[in-house]
């Protein structure tokens, strides 16, 4: 069985690593890795391949940045050529980035079976590109692997036959479990001159938060409030940095007291910082899951989440992205002990990749 797994952007790499390890246990599976190149620089891409021990991709389409339409069209044309040459039995896509949807459409149009890992998640907010990518990918996938019950419910409502859907758990948690000890040894805290639990870790990159001035001002206000009582550690995503610079706000952020502004960090360094954060404030999808697994308080600066299990069972609290005062009030309560304790969802146990590989190896395709 020949499978091409597709990755394009940072959150995909953590899901590829455990899958690649699991497929290696099946001599009948030939696993080809294709990177679309949506994320392309050292800090957003290469470092993850090194730290997660993923081999160099067999193909890198080198598409890079650009509008979403450009990215998808360019990926589809280049991927079509690869599929014609390789004729794989299956294409496997993960998550909800542009590469996921573009490669899904290309594969299905060429009659190749499509596997979607992390299927069925819904924010119910179609202004998010990721929501469109999820909807498009799921409705054309042949096999859908899901991380939480809400995904099963959504796919059922959307008419996906249940025999196509497999509850397997969470690949990103596989990776976290695999590398937790190594991450705990990372020296990032001494480099930043911070100690365990003395800081709030922040990430922000959603277009709904950073692609307009009101959102950026709201983030700056939130940081200013938190920094009066906790050090804020903020590795800044390239999208956010570009927007801050273009709105003339970069210097304001970079010179704030008690705020450590960093470039994007490697997987091990970032996981190290989550492990001992007093709390995390984010708009990321995956970080909501990682903090819930690690029982670290998380405030998500968004009005919706496609990962409701992190709110129902985990540590996650959603707060409107234009309400920095509320984040501050909730954070203060959390730090004074009024916090949620997490219950780990079923199958978030480090064995998800093994389940997926076993199911795929036994598919009657
Ligand atoms: C993408 C995903 C998002 C994911 C995020 C993680 C989509 C629709 N969005 O958003 O779901 O949470 O990745 O980071 O696919 N850039 C660099 N260096 C890089 C990569 C990007 O400087 O290596 C710059 C680009 O030039 C662009 C900006 O960062 O200006 C945003 O990149 P883009 O690929 O459009 O999407 P993200 O915002 O990263």
């Amino acid at each position: 069985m020949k499978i091409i797994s597709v990755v394009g952007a940072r959150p995909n790499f953590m899901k590829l690593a455990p899958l690649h390890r699991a497929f290696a246990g099946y001599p009948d599976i030939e696993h080809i890795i294709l990177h679309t190149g949506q994320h392309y620089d050292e800090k957003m891409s290469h470092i993850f391949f090194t730290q997660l021990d993923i081999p160099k991709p067999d193909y890198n389409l080198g598409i890079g940045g650009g509008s979403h339409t450009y990215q998808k069209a360019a990926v589809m044309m280049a991927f079509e050529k690869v599929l014609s040459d390789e004729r794989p039995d299956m294409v496997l896509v993960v998550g909800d980035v542009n590469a996921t949807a573009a490669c899904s459409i290309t594969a299905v149009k060429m009659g190749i079976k499509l596997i979607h890992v992390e299927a069925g998640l819904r924010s119910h907010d179609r202004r998010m590109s990721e929501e469109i990518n999820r909807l498009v990918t799921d409705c054309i996938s042949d096999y859908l692997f899901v991380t939480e019950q809400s995904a099963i419910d959504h796919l059922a409502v959307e008419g996906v036959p249940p025999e196509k859907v497999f509850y397997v758990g969470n690949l990103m948690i596989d990776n976290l479990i695999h590398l937790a000890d190594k991450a705990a040894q990372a020296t990032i805290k001494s480099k930043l001159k911070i100690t365990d639990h003395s800081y709030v870790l922040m990430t922000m990159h959603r277009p709904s938060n950073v692609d307009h001035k009101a959102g950026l001002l709201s983030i700056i206000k939130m940081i200013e409030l938190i920094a009066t009582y906790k050090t804020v550690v903020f590795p800044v995503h390239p999208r956010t940095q570009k927007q801050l610079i273009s709105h003339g706000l970069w210097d304001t952020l970079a010179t704030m007291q008690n705020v450590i502004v960093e470039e994007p960090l490697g997987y091990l360094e970032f996981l190290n910082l989550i492990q001992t954060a007093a709390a995390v404030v984010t708009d990321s999808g995956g970080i909501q899951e990682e903090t819930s697994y690690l029982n670290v308080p998380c405030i998500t600066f968004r009005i919706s989440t496609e990962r409701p299990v992190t709110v129902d069972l985990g540590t996650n609290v959603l707060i409107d992205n234009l309400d920095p005062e509320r984040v501050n009030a909730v954070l203060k309560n959390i730090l004074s002990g009024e916090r949620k304790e997490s219950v780990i969802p079923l199958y978030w146990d480090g064995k998800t990749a093994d389940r997926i590989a076993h199911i795929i190896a036994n598919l009657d395709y």
Side-chain angles (χ1 to χ4, degrees):
M1 185 190 289
K2 190 194 268 195
I3 302 175
I4 299 189
S5 288
V6 172
V7 289
R10 188 171 61 179
N12 297 158
F13 308 139
M14 302 75 169
K15 292 152 202 167
L16 174 65
L19 266 183
H20 186 69
R21 280 194 298 275
F23 284 149
Y26 290 83
D28 291 343
I29 294 181
E30 181 188 355
H31 188 218
I32 294 174
I33 297 175
L34 179 137
H35 190 334
T36 66
Q38 177 176 345
H39 286 176
Y40 46 83
D41 67 27
E42 172 61 29
K43 296 198 156 61
M44 297 298 287
S45 177
H46 303 164
I47 190 169
F48 293 90
F49 281 77
T50 310
Q51 292 193 344
L52 305 182
D53 207 13
I54 311 170
K56 188 169 179 287
D58 300 282
Y59 291 91
N60 191 327
L61 304 183
I63 301 305
S67 76
H68 287 187
T69 306
Y70 163 80
Q71 284 185 19
K72 284 193 175 113
V75 164
M76 287 172 80
M77 287 190 290
F79 192 47
E80 183 181 44
K81 164 104 185 53
V82 174
L83 292 181
S84 303
D85 294 345
E86 289 284 354
R87 299 303 315 174
D89 300 295
M90 314 234 174
V91 165
L92 184 151
V93 296
V94 296
D96 54 17
V97 303
N98 290 333
T100 310
C103 291
S104 293
I105 295 170
T106 314
V108 169
K109 288 301 291 176
M110 293 184 71
I112 297 164
K113 296 279 186 211
L114 179 65
I115 302 166
H116 186 203
V117 178
E118 207 181 84
L121 298 179
R122 298 288 180 267
S123 65
H124 306 290
D125 179 355
R126 292 196 179 188
R127 291 166 302 178
M128 292 179 75
S129 307
E130 293 82 357
E131 184 76 351
I132 306 301
N133 292 338
R134 291 178 203 120
L135 287 161
V136 166
T137 304
D138 284 342
C139 76
I140 58 174
S141 288
D142 296 287
Y143 307 105
L144 299 94
F145 291 100
V146 306
T147 53
E148 60 169 89
Q149 181 62 38
S150 77
I152 298 178
D153 301 342
H154 295 135
L155 295 172
V157 168
E158 291 166 20
V160 177
E163 61 273 17
K164 289 181 166 187
V165 179
F166 303 87
Y167 185 113
V168 287
N170 194 323
L171 275 184
M172 211 179 48
I173 303 303
D174 280 23
N175 211 50
L176 189 158
I177 292 171
H178 186 67
L179 288 172
D181 289 346
K182 199 165 180 193
Q185 309 302 318
T187 54
I188 181 78
K189 275 175 293 214
S190 57
K191 181 179 161 234
L192 301 180
K193 301 191 175 57
I194 50 174
T195 53
D196 291 0
H197 309 294
S198 67
Y199 59 93
V200 169
L201 181 61
M202 172 135 354
T203 77
M204 288 290 151
H205 73 278
R206 293 272 157 225
S208 58
N209 281 331
V210 307
D211 279 7
H212 55 107
K213 192 162 189 177
L216 295 171
L217 289 171
S218 179
I219 293 167
I220 287 183
K221 179 73 190 166
M222 172 169 68
I223 295 174
E224 192 178 274
L225 292 167
I226 298 171
T228 59
Y229 52 92
K230 280 279 177 197
T231 301
V232 176
V233 180
F234 187 10
V236 182
H237 186 282
R239 171 186 287 278
T240 310
Q241 182 173 32
K242 277 185 197 168
Q243 293 292 343
L244 284 163
I245 292 170
S246 77
H247 288 284
L249 293 168
W250 177 253
D251 289 343
T252 312
L253 176 73
T255 54
M256 283 168 88
Q257 294 294 311
N258 210 19
V259 178
I260 301 173
V261 176
E262 273 292 302
E263 295 191 311
L265 297 173
Y267 180 82
L268 295 172
E269 290 73 22
F270 192 76
L271 179 54
N272 178 289
L273 290 181
I274 299 182
Q275 284 169 328
T276 54
V280 176
V281 180
T282 188
D283 60 6
S284 152
I287 295 170
Q288 299 171 45
E289 298 179 330
E290 290 169 330
T291 47
S292 278
Y293 182 82
L294 292 169
N295 198 25
V296 172
C298 178
I299 297 177
T300 299
F301 205 44
R302 282 171 51 185
I303 50 174
S304 61
T305 179
E306 60 290 326
R307 292 160 160 91
V309 76
T310 61
V311 176
D312 298 340
L313 294 185
T315 55
N316 194 16
V317 182
L318 289 186
I319 299 186
D320 187 330
N321 46 353
L322 290 176
D323 200 348
E325 277 85 7
R326 175 130 181 80
V327 173
N328 185 44
V330 170
L331 183 62
K332 278 188 166 164
N333 285 342
I334 288 172
L335 297 179
S336 65
E338 256 182 64
R339 48 157 299 176
K340 300 198 309 178
E341 299 294 331
S342 57
V343 177
I344 295 173
L346 181 66
Y347 292 163
W348 290 25
D349 59 0
K351 297 182 186 143
T352 296
D354 292 337
R355 283 184 201 102
I356 294 175
H358 178 76
I359 292 169
I360 291 176
N362 290 291
L363 282 176
D364 192 13
Y365 62 97

